[in-house]
């Protein structure tokens, strides 16, 4: 009997221990689950906060076009002190290029009277960091639109140009020999026309005021041996301009003057040509 009692007691003790161990294990698992749940939630919230902070930081650090231009000016002052004092005579055009800006620097004053506002240099500006890097000058040339003036008959062309003349009474017939002066648009950046091969021209932009204010374009386009000339209009703002005045000098008793209307911006009119 004593043996049986001892065995029974041992069995009960082992069972109790097993139950205690199971209870402790269950409690530990529950605590782990709760702790893990809280920990996972906290991690997710931290990840969201981190992502939000990064997004805000990136948005806040993006440069505007004006700031990109200022970065380039600072860069030029540091790296090219020899032209620092002339920076006010240069013009800067900013273009968006994905996560960067391209800032093109043009000369508004040229030593060669036949060269107008040449592109001097180009700079790449990181929109997030503001880092500036000089790059090879590169401007995408738009596909040219051939003006209808190129397909007109000589009589139609002369009639059209007479309507555009600012001083019709002093027009001389020989000015019409090769004349092709198309109108342009506010978004036109490349303009081509034609005059007589020995002619020289001056250009002015006129405001819509009454009387209009004439802005002298510091560009003297070169007229080639066939009379064609081209003008890069990127440095100039054509918005709110009424017309482009072309003053033609040559074998004439008086300057021949034509006012070419500036129309509203129109897709496909970035480059205007008169060559078929």
């Amino acid at each position: 009997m004593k043996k049986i009692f001892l065995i029974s007691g041992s069995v009960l003790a082992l069972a109790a221990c097993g139950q205690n161990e199971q209870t402790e294990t269950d409690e530990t698992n529950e605590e782990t689950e709760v702790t893990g749940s809280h920990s996972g939630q906290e991690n997710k919230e931290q990840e969201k906060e981190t992502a939000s902070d990064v997004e805000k930081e990136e948005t806040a650090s993006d440069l505007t076009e004006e700031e990109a231009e200022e970065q380039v000016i600072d860069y030029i002052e540091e790296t090219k002190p020899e032209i620092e004092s002339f920076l006010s005579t240069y013009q800067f055009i900013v273009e968006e290029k994905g996560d960067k800006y391209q800032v093109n620097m043009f000369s508004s004053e040229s030593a060669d009277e036949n060269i107008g506002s040449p592109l001097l240099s180009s700079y790449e500006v990181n929109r997030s960091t503001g880092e500036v890097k000089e790059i090879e000058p590169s401007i995408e040339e738009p596909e040219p639109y051939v003006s209808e003036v190129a397909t007109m008959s000589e009589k139609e062309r002369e009639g059209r140009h007479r309507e555009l003349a600012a001083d019709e009474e002093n027009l001389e017939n020989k000015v019409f020999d090769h004349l092709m002066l198309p109108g342009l648009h506010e978004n036109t950046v490349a303009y081509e026309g034609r005059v007589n091969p020995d002619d020289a021209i001056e250009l002015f932009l006129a405001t819509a005021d009454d009387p209009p204010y004439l802005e002298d374009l510091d560009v003297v386009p070169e007229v080639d041996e066939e009379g064609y000339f081209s003008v890069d209009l990127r440095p100039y703002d054509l918005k709110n301009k009424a017309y482009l005045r072309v003053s033609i000098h040559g074998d004439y008793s008086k300057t021949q003057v034509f006012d070419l209307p500036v129309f509203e911006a129109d897709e496909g009119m970035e480059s205007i040509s008169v060559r078929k």
Side-chain angles (χ1 to χ4, degrees):
M1 290 293 290
K2 287 181 179 180
K3 289 182 179 180
I4 294 173
F5 178 79
L6 290 173
I7 292 171
S8 299
S10 298
V11 171
L12 291 173
L14 290 172
C17 289
Q19 288 178 350
N20 288 337
E21 289 176 359
Q22 182 64 39
T23 301
E24 291 174 359
T25 300
D26 292 342
E27 290 176 352
T28 301
N29 289 339
E30 288 177 2
E31 289 177 0
T32 302
E33 289 176 1
V34 172
T35 302
S37 176
H38 285 304
S39 178
Q41 185 66 26
E42 288 175 358
N43 288 339
K44 288 180 180 179
E45 291 177 357
Q46 287 177 356
E47 289 175 0
K48 287 181 180 178
E49 290 175 0
T50 302
S52 177
D53 291 341
V54 170
E55 185 177 348
K56 288 179 181 177
E57 188 175 323
E58 288 178 349
T59 302
S61 64
D62 274 358
L63 297 178
T64 63
E65 291 188 2
E66 292 77 12
E67 290 170 336
E69 182 178 326
E70 291 172 3
Q71 291 287 104
V72 168
I73 292 174
D74 290 343
Y75 175 85
I76 294 173
E77 289 176 344
E78 292 176 5
T79 60
K80 301 179 180 180
E82 68 276 7
I83 67 170
E84 179 181 351
S85 59
F86 301 102
L87 280 177
S88 60
T89 67
Y90 298 142
Q91 298 184 37
F92 295 88
I93 305 296
V94 183
E95 300 177 11
E96 290 191 20
K97 300 284 185 179
D99 62 346
K100 296 180 177 63
Y101 287 118
Q102 180 174 317
V103 182
N104 299 311
M105 185 174 78
F106 295 86
S107 173
S108 57
E109 294 183 359
S110 175
D112 185 342
E113 64 178 10
N114 290 324
I115 301 175
S117 297
L119 176 61
L120 297 181
S121 54
S122 293
Y123 301 87
E124 189 177 81
V125 182
N126 189 298
R127 296 175 66 166
S128 297
T129 66
E131 180 185 0
V132 179
K133 181 173 67 174
E134 187 168 1
I135 59 175
E136 285 294 320
S138 174
I139 296 180
E140 295 179 6
E141 294 296 335
E143 188 70 23
Y145 164 79
V146 179
S147 170
E148 63 276 5
V149 73
T151 61
M152 291 179 177
S153 66
E154 291 183 9
K155 185 177 181 180
E156 289 174 329
R157 217 161 23 228
E158 180 178 334
R160 177 186 181 279
H161 288 119
R162 285 189 178 277
E163 292 178 357
L164 299 175
D167 185 11
E168 188 175 358
E169 291 182 1
N170 291 304
L171 282 179
E172 299 183 26
N173 289 334
K174 56 186 173 183
V175 75
F176 300 115
D177 289 349
H178 297 91
L179 194 62
M180 285 192 283
L181 300 174
L184 62 161
H185 294 255
E186 290 180 346
N187 60 325
T188 300
V189 296
Y191 179 87
E192 181 185 69
R194 191 181 188 188
V195 293
N196 290 325
D198 295 327
D199 288 346
I201 61 175
E202 288 183 283
L203 301 174
F204 306 85
L205 275 173
T207 64
D209 302 322
D210 188 17
Y213 169 74
L214 290 176
E215 175 189 353
D216 184 3
L217 271 65
D218 45 8
V219 175
V220 181
E222 183 177 2
V223 178
D224 69 18
E225 59 186 11
E226 295 182 88
Y228 292 101
F229 68 91
S230 58
V231 185
D232 185 352
L233 294 171
R234 285 185 178 89
Y236 306 100
D237 183 8
L238 271 61
K239 291 182 180 178
N240 301 318
K241 297 298 189 297
Y243 56 85
L244 174 70
R245 171 163 288 185
V246 180
S247 295
I248 304 176
H249 308 280
D251 187 20
Y252 312 106
S253 59
K254 289 191 177 181
T255 301
Q256 308 290 288
V257 183
F258 299 88
D259 292 337
L260 315 178
V262 177
F263 301 106
E264 291 184 357
D266 190 8
E267 186 177 355
M269 296 298 174
E270 291 81 7
S271 177
I272 296 178
S273 171
V274 291
R275 300 185 201 231
K276 298 178 185 179

